[in-house]
Amino acid sequence: MNLEALQAQIDNLNGRLTATQSAVRALIACHPNPEKAIEIVAEHLDRYAGLALAKDVPDELADAMSNADKHILPTDEEIERAQR
């Protein structure tokens, strides 16, 4: 695979990931109990980040998993908007 095709694949996956993160944020924000949803999602993120760190994975993957909550969990403002 040439560099251009590889970059196109990376860009495509990045776009899908960003869309998925946005959808998850919206679903958590509009949940009837968003605080509980955040708690449960954060627990799962921590668990899987811990599993990744326990294995021999690239640093970039481990770092992304460790910081996933910053990209997945909604802000208070997003929750307020969704609850209106």
Side-chain angles (χ1 to χ4, degrees):
M1 180 178 296
N2 68 33
L3 228 60
E4 191 174 298
L6 184 59
Q7 186 60 52
Q9 226 176 12
I10 291 169
D11 291 344
N12 180 280
L13 289 172
N14 193 26
R16 288 186 202 188
L17 179 61
T18 301
T20 302
Q21 289 170 333
S22 295
V24 170
R25 285 174 80 110
L27 289 170
I28 293 170
C30 70
H31 187 277
N33 187 346
E35 290 80 14
K36 184 64 176 177
I38 288 170
E39 178 185 325
I40 292 170
V41 170
E43 287 174 8
H44 283 271
L45 291 172
D46 286 345
R47 184 176 314 129
Y48 287 106
L51 290 172
L53 292 174
K55 295 182 178 183
D56 187 25
V57 298
D59 290 343
E60 294 82 4
L61 176 60
D63 184 53
M65 292 186 73
S66 294
N67 293 304
D69 60 331
K70 296 173 186 157
H71 303 284
I72 292 176
L73 300 177
T75 63
D76 290 341
E77 182 181 312
E78 290 169 324
I79 292 170
E80 287 175 21
R81 269 197 317 259
Q83 299 294 316
R84 291 183 197 153

